[in-house]
Amino acid sequence: LSDVHGNATALEAVRSANIAGLGLTVSIGISERRAGSTLESLIGMADVALYQAKTAGRNRTEIAQE
């Protein structure tokens, strides 16, 4: 697995944990640094992935696509 998929797996475990029985929901967007990436492009890709997670039903983890 690439780093981004490993990170997604770890974040998914955190997201799905029922912390202290609070029943929290979390949507997560993840982007991966590539050659030529800037901080702004990484944040933008993660933001798009976050909104994809929310649109797909919330309480999800999505990885940004190129």
Side-chain angles (χ1 to χ4, degrees):
L1 293 175
S2 71
D3 288 342
V4 72
H5 287 94
N7 292 336
T9 300
L11 288 170
E12 182 65 18
V14 171
R15 186 208 54 80
S16 64
N18 187 1
I19 301 171
L22 295 177
L24 301 174
T25 63
V26 178
S27 296
I28 300 170
I30 301 172
S31 62
E32 180 177 25
R33 188 177 71 131
R34 296 181 178 97
S37 295
T38 64
L39 178 59
E40 291 80 15
S41 69
L42 288 169
I43 291 171
M45 290 187 307
D47 191 51
V48 168
L50 170 62
Y51 281 95
Q52 288 172 341
K54 289 181 176 187
T55 300
R58 300 182 186 262
N59 203 32
R60 302 172 50 96
T61 302
E62 292 289 336
I63 298 172
Q65 303 299 312
E66 288 187 52

